Amino acid sequence: MRKADKEGPKAMTGSITTYTEDLVEIGEHRVRKGELDRRSFLAAVAAMGLAPAALTPATAATGELVLVNFGGVAAKEYKKSFGPGCERATGLKLVVDGSGASPAKIRAMVDAGSVVWDVCDYAPQIGIQLGGKYLEEIDYSIVDKQKLLPGFALQYGCAAYVFSFIMAYNKQMVPEPPRGWADFWDLKRFPGKRAMFKTPIGQLEAALLAAGVEPDKLYPLNLDLALGKIKDLKSEIIWWETGAQSQQLLRDREVTMGNVWHSRATVMRNETRGNIDFTFNQGVLVVGGWAIPKGNPAGRANANKFIAAAQDPKAQLSIYLSLFNGPANLQTIELVPEDKRVLNPSDPANLKLQAISNPRYWGENSAAIQDRWLDAIS
């Protein structure tokens, strides 16, 4: 019996996975199934900056650039696929730290004057929280704004990819394809359990869209309304904490619909030949990318050169074709094969259907929201 079964149908248990950690798991799954060759996989995760999970925190040395992320592939293979590109751009050897960057770690390093990281995997709200005291500004004389989706060239971070929270559903369990979050909340027309991520971002926006709030009017979030909608549905929600859990809930028919990452929904759509499908309509688009800690050892210029190199359209195309996350580089979007564009969250046809997550709002309000969120779902 799974742990979730022991503790009831409303919650999954364990550590909550980040989107970037889940991308590595998806890639490894596709390699095992023979859908993706290992070389393409390694090139994709390298361009994403996904680091080996087993590494301990790295210490910068002369002639090195240290990249920190949340783990994934073996160090030797990672360096083989991405190290040469780093050296061409900066003249520095790439060192990967898989220990994970958090705001607390960045603050501690900068305050102590002992920064060992040069580039960090970046959530835009962290850039808002840490600002100029703890992060370097992105130098857009080096990093090309024209290669980024509008609005994603941020002061203290640069977009590298985008992903979406979308509504996935099992076709055999619904009378017709649901069209939006109002259908997700409609238990009469669409009976059955729902899967939702056990963090507020992407879930509160969905609740407000279900309540009829227009996508461009979401922020500031009406927390009373959003949390009220969550409470209305809570008895039918199974909370997922990892991408694999969200996928299993839908495949095992434990839920009729789920608010899940588009990358996981794409895997399910492909593997079930469309029996599990999803829509970008009213999806919530989120940006991920890079940040530079204040006083990074390799210097601000080299960190920016690394980020600029990561904008390479061919590398971003490889990421999308391998791991399904959306390119942030406009030139890459134009290179996506016609038959693959329907599943790309940053394709113009899909982009116009979605709400865009507001990093400034989340950066300024996430702590207060988290307290209310935990009260609402407990």
Side-chain angles (χ1 to χ4, degrees):
M1 180 179 292
R2 295 201 320 266
K3 188 179 290 186
D5 295 328
K6 291 180 181 179
E7 299 183 3
K10 298 180 184 179
M12 308 298 286
T13 60
S15 176
I16 295 178
T17 298
T18 66
Y19 175 76
T20 49
E21 289 174 298
D22 195 59
L23 283 180
V24 175
E25 188 174 329
I26 288 174
E28 291 172 341
H29 171 74
R30 296 190 71 205
V31 169
R32 288 193 298 270
K33 288 178 65 67
E35 297 176 353
L36 180 66
D37 67 90
R38 190 157 187 81
R39 178 175 293 182
S40 297
F41 167 58
L42 292 173
V45 294
M48 281 286 295
L50 299 178
L55 289 182
T56 56
T59 301
T62 302
E64 295 179 343
L65 186 144
V66 178
L67 170 66
V68 62
N69 204 284
F70 292 92
V73 297
K76 181 178 179 180
E77 293 174 327
Y78 177 85
K79 291 177 182 178
K80 182 189 299 183
S81 60
F82 196 62
C86 175
E87 291 191 30
R88 285 194 299 271
T90 67
L92 302 174
K93 179 182 178 181
L94 180 66
V95 174
V96 179
D97 179 343
S99 63
S102 69
K105 290 180 182 179
I106 294 172
R107 287 191 187 100
M109 284 186 181
V110 175
D111 286 342
S114 58
V115 177
V116 299
W117 297 329
D118 292 297
V119 180
C120 303
D121 181 81
Y122 166 79
Q125 58 266 30
I126 293 176
I128 303 301
Q129 293 167 357
L130 298 182
K133 182 176 180 181
Y134 294 102
L135 299 177
E136 300 281 3
E137 291 190 33
I138 298 298
D139 185 346
Y140 288 107
S141 69
I142 299 174
V143 178
D144 190 351
K145 281 187 177 182
Q146 301 305 312
K147 294 181 180 179
L148 297 171
L149 288 168
F152 290 169
L154 306 175
Q155 185 176 8
Y156 296 107
C158 177
Y161 56 90
V162 299
F163 63 96
S164 297
F165 286 98
I166 52 77
M167 180 171 54
Y169 55 92
N170 190 315
K171 284 183 177 179
Q172 297 177 346
M173 299 176 70
V174 295
E176 59 184 285
R179 299 179 181 179
W181 295 113
D183 290 341
F184 192 88
W185 259 260
D186 190 341
L187 296 172
K188 184 175 181 180
R189 288 181 59 225
F190 299 93
K193 297 288 185 180
R194 306 297 197 253
M196 297 188 77
F197 194 26
K198 206 175 181 179
T199 64
I201 190 168
Q203 315 309 299
L204 294 180
E205 288 92 340
L208 291 176
L209 291 167
V213 178
E214 293 296 324
D216 61 349
K217 304 293 184 183
L218 284 174
Y219 302 98
L221 298 179
N222 183 334
L223 293 179
D224 290 337
L225 178 58
L227 293 172
K229 292 288 288 183
I230 295 292
K231 290 177 182 178
D232 289 344
L233 195 62
K234 185 167 66 171
S235 64
E236 301 302 316
I237 297 173
I238 300 178
W239 300 104
W240 60 270
E241 299 177 1
T242 71
Q245 288 174 347
S246 70
Q247 182 172 327
Q248 200 65 39
L249 288 169
L250 280 154
R251 293 193 67 134
D252 287 352
R253 300 167 66 96
E254 292 188 49
V255 299
T256 302
M257 305 180 199
N259 182 334
V260 304
W261 291 319
H262 84 277
S263 50
R264 280 289 172 177
T266 300
V267 171
M268 289 186 279
R269 186 179 190 265
N270 291 343
E271 293 186 351
T272 65
R273 298 183 180 181
N275 283 330
I276 295 175
D277 208 346
F278 69 96
T279 177
F280 279 112
N281 191 46
Q282 294 191 329
V284 180
L285 190 89
V286 182
V287 62
W290 312 116
I292 305 170
K294 197 82 168 180
N296 68 297
R300 180 181 174 224
N302 280 324
N304 277 282
K305 289 177 184 177
F306 175 88
I307 292 171
Q311 293 182 295
D312 177 66
K314 291 182 180 179
Q316 292 210 357
L317 178 63
S318 175
I319 294 168
Y320 171 65
L321 295 177
S322 300
L323 304 177
F324 308 125
N325 61 306
N329 185 338
L330 292 171
Q331 295 176 9
T332 305
I333 293 171
E334 296 172 358
L335 297 178
V336 175
E338 190 69 33
D339 63 332
K340 304 293 185 183
R341 293 183 180 182
V342 66
L343 302 177
N344 175 17
S346 56
D347 186 84
N350 295 327
L351 196 60
K352 69 181 182 181
L353 299 176
Q354 301 179 76
I356 309 297
S357 177
N358 186 322
R360 179 164 295 280
Y361 176 83
W362 280 105
E364 294 174 350
N365 297 280
S366 59
I369 290 173
Q370 183 69 11
D371 290 339
R372 294 194 61 183
W373 169 259
L374 292 175
D375 287 341
I377 70 172
S378 60

